[in-house]
Amino acid sequence: EAGVKADFFKNRMLATIALYQVYINNVAVSANDPANPDVFVQRGEERSRGFELETQGNITGNLALSFSYGYNLTKITQSVKPEEVGNIKENAPRHTSNSLLKYTLNNTLRGVSVCFGHSLASARNTPDKNLLLPGYFLMNAGLQYRWHHFNIAANLNNITNKKYVLAAYNLLNKWPGQPRNFMIRLQYVF
């Protein structure tokens, strides 16, 4: 792995980029046997190559941005099943990204911030050659209030209530993503 960090705009923005190649040996993976869904087998080797780009900081005194993008190509390089060698690893999206844009008010609503962001993952393979998981794009929003040492935040995730699948082994073993949900967080900062 190799990377570079840099500060921009008088240290208001930090950006990083990292390139990587990782080998993982003897990975336990699903045997993809619907009659025995809890059975795992060892796979010889997987290789991941890609890069990650991140930036975060303040665009203005009131506007903050956090953004990340990742490109990842993970292939099976060794397997007890010769037909798997060269295939893209299951449940590994090639593209991912996340963002958060936060605006803090300075007028009569001092201490109030409004946030908006996204999460994205591209299509993913599964061990079942007939099942390709589609990519998804989720939008999230939030409202925060800071008063002295207290923070309260209300977040609405998956605003559009998008139905999506996080991961799957086959048509029987799929893990759905969270539907629209609302969270409140109360925090005391020392």
Side-chain angles (χ1 to χ4, degrees):
E1 182 174 339
V4 176
K5 288 183 180 182
D7 288 315
F8 298 98
F9 309 115
K10 298 180 183 177
N11 294 327
R12 288 192 335 222
M13 293 291 281
L14 170 68
T16 62
I17 187 167
L19 304 170
Y20 61 87
Q21 177 170 292
V22 177
Y23 288 90
I24 300 176
N25 294 306
N26 300 319
V27 177
V29 296
S30 169
N32 199 27
D33 181 358
N36 297 296
D38 297 327
V39 173
F40 286 79
V41 295
Q42 275 190 312
R43 177 179 291 149
E45 182 180 78
E46 298 171 356
R47 180 192 67 213
S48 298
R49 287 181 177 163
F51 70 91
E52 295 174 344
L53 170 68
E54 292 184 41
T55 184
Q56 61 183 5
N58 296 314
I59 297 170
T60 68
N62 297 30
L63 187 61
L65 169 71
S66 176
F67 175 80
S68 67
Y69 170 77
Y71 174 83
N72 178 51
L73 181 59
T74 303
K75 288 190 175 184
I76 300 165
T77 53
Q78 294 177 16
S79 177
V80 293
K81 299 178 184 176
E83 66 275 10
E84 287 186 337
V85 175
N87 288 350
I88 303 295
K89 176 183 168 50
E90 63 277 353
N91 298 307
R94 194 171 289 199
H95 304 277
T96 58
S97 73
N98 293 285
S99 70
L100 179 67
L101 194 60
K102 178 180 175 181
Y103 184 77
T104 302
L105 304 170
N106 272 343
N107 55 19
T108 56
L109 296 175
R110 188 172 194 80
V112 173
S113 298
V114 179
C115 306
F116 183 78
H118 88 282
S119 297
L120 173 142
S122 62
R124 287 134 301 138
N125 289 347
T126 67
D128 183 338
K129 292 184 182 195
N130 298 316
L131 177 62
L132 179 69
L133 300 179
Y136 58 86
F137 179 86
L138 306 177
M139 293 184 290
N140 309 304
L143 190 61
Q144 300 176 356
Y145 178 65
R146 182 181 179 109
W147 181 69
H148 298 288
H149 292 280
F150 290 95
N151 287 331
I152 187 165
N155 297 317
L156 180 62
N157 299 308
N158 192 2
I159 294 170
T160 62
N161 204 26
K162 170 106 175 141
K163 291 183 180 180
Y164 63 103
V165 177
L166 285 175
Y169 290 141
N170 50 47
L171 289 171
L172 298 175
N173 297 308
K174 296 190 279 189
W175 291 269
Q178 289 190 356
R180 180 185 304 125
N181 62 84
F182 183 75
M183 276 193 301
I184 294 179
R185 183 187 76 220
L186 180 61
Q187 179 182 30
Y188 181 83
V189 181
F190 294 95

